[in-house]
Amino acid sequence: MSEHPVSERPTSGDLALPPVTAPYLLPFHYGALHNIGVDHLVDPAPVRALLAERHPDLSAADFDGRACVTLNYQLYFAQYPNGAAVIQEIEYSVVAYPAASAGRLARLSYGQYARGYDQTKLLGIARLHVLCDSALAIAAGTALYGEPKYPAWFEVTMPSLNGPGGDAWDIVCKEAVLAGDGIERRERPLISLSAELAGLPRIPVNNTPVTGYGVDAAGRPLAGPMNVYQPYQYIPLGEGTEGGEAAGRVRLRVHEPSSPVGADVSALIGDGSAAGVWTYQSAPVAAHNRPYYVPRAGREQAPVPGR
């Protein structure tokens, strides 16, 4: 029995898989991921208009008459045969699905969606802006997934086992430009996100794989699922149009309304309150512990500091 090479195997559908061009390999494996996302329930009319322009094959999810726009920040680590990379990015997206697959979707509330009830995973993120601090990741995301990805850089404070404790996130996204093989930082802030989450109840949710929608250079829609291997922590903030009392703990600010991402955040969200937050932080795999004093053979012991 002969075997077809992967690229030549017959398929049952009408579409071949999108190409994976050198030097890329898929799937892309994350060594660690630290992630916070914030969802807003908004007026669907401007969302639908923007989707018709940017993702004409997708329809906005309808959560009791509201659309959902989501902004998520990621810090991730990738290990390669010849080294490693630490990358940061923000995705600003609309929760949407392929219009041709509408008949496969169950009717869900936002709260059900946030808890992972859509097991078709057709409700994915239609990316409007992806801002990233790595020229390599920008090139890969654009080529492989049709992401609208461009340079930025970040000033960030987040929860960490190597920090003083607490559960606060503060992310400032600043302007950058591609320069040679890297990016050149500018000082102009574009948008920022802050969240003080200490004491808020959270729910472990199985909401992945997250399907990310993009458009390739020929205008064909692409879908790329991303698996996360442990549950996310979901924090409901009232889940209604105006959010609940806890929504005041989360703030999204536009610093530069004339920037592409600032203009779209202003147009779709404005001063609206967040409906929900979701976070994920990779567990540590090792710990280097506090040292202790070793007795010195045949010598007078030094006094212990603080005694």
Side-chain angles (χ1 to χ4, degrees):
M1 179 182 295
S2 63
E3 291 287 339
H4 292 280
V6 171
S7 61
E8 298 177 5
R9 288 177 184 163
T11 64
S12 58
D14 296 329
L15 297 177
L17 288 171
V20 178
T21 57
Y24 306 117
L25 298 172
L26 290 179
F28 172 77
H29 294 278
Y30 294 68
L33 173 66
H34 301 271
N35 188 191
I36 180 171
V38 178
D39 294 337
H40 287 78
L41 297 177
V42 301
D43 180 0
V47 172
R48 290 170 185 153
L50 199 55
L51 272 187
E53 176 188 338
R54 312 272 183 90
H55 295 273
D57 295 286
L58 303 180
S59 294
D62 184 335
F63 298 122
D64 299 319
R66 308 294 284 177
C68 181
V69 293
T70 182
L71 184 142
N72 81 82
Y73 162 81
Q74 303 174 24
L75 165 68
Y76 56 93
F77 166 78
Q79 179 261 330
Y80 301 101
N82 58 347
V86 177
I87 299 166
Q88 299 178 87
E89 63 183 61
I90 277 178
E91 295 180 321
Y92 180 56
S93 309
V94 171
V95 177
Y97 60 90
S101 301
R104 294 182 55 199
L105 284 168
R107 185 180 298 107
L108 299 176
S109 68
Y110 166 75
Q112 291 171 325
Y113 160 76
R115 290 164 174 79
Y117 284 22
D118 172 33
Q119 290 304 307
T120 71
K121 299 309 176 186
L122 291 170
L123 288 178
I125 53 171
R127 298 182 179 99
L128 303 177
H129 300 274
V130 182
L131 299 100
C132 179
D133 68 356
S134 164
L136 174 64
I138 291 169
T142 303
L144 295 173
Y145 296 108
E147 298 178 19
K149 200 162 190 171
Y150 53 95
W153 67 285
F154 303 88
E155 292 181 339
V156 175
T157 302
M158 69 176 71
S160 172
L161 292 176
N162 293 319
D167 195 4
W169 298 72
D170 190 12
I171 299 116
V172 180
C173 176
K174 294 190 172 184
E175 184 180 40
V177 295
L178 291 173
D181 294 332
I183 68 167
E184 180 180 299
R185 295 180 174 187
R186 305 284 173 83
E187 284 302 319
R188 183 173 69 148
L190 303 176
I191 59 173
S192 63
L193 172 68
S194 61
E196 175 51 72
L197 306 178
L200 294 179
R202 58 204 63 212
I203 306 165
V205 294
N206 175 28
N207 59 348
T208 71
V210 175
T211 303
Y213 291 112
V215 181
D216 72 7
R220 292 169 297 194
L222 298 174
M226 175 181 168
N227 292 297
V228 178
Y229 298 138
Q230 297 293 330
Y232 269 84
Q233 298 295 312
Y234 169 61
I235 302 169
L237 300 177
E239 300 180 353
T241 301
E242 302 300 328
E245 182 179 347
R249 302 275 203 98
V250 178
R251 184 183 182 194
L252 174 60
R253 181 181 176 189
V254 175
H255 297 268
E256 186 48 73
S258 66
S259 67
V261 66
D264 282 346
V265 170
S266 297
L268 301 186
I269 296 177
D271 296 327
S273 299
V277 176
W278 35 277
T279 66
Y280 178 90
Q281 291 195 271
S282 290
V285 297
H288 198 165
N289 297 310
R290 181 171 178 169
Y292 58 91
Y293 289 106
V294 177
R296 304 176 69 182
R299 299 190 186 188
E300 182 179 345
Q301 300 299 307
V304 176
R307 290 188 181 178

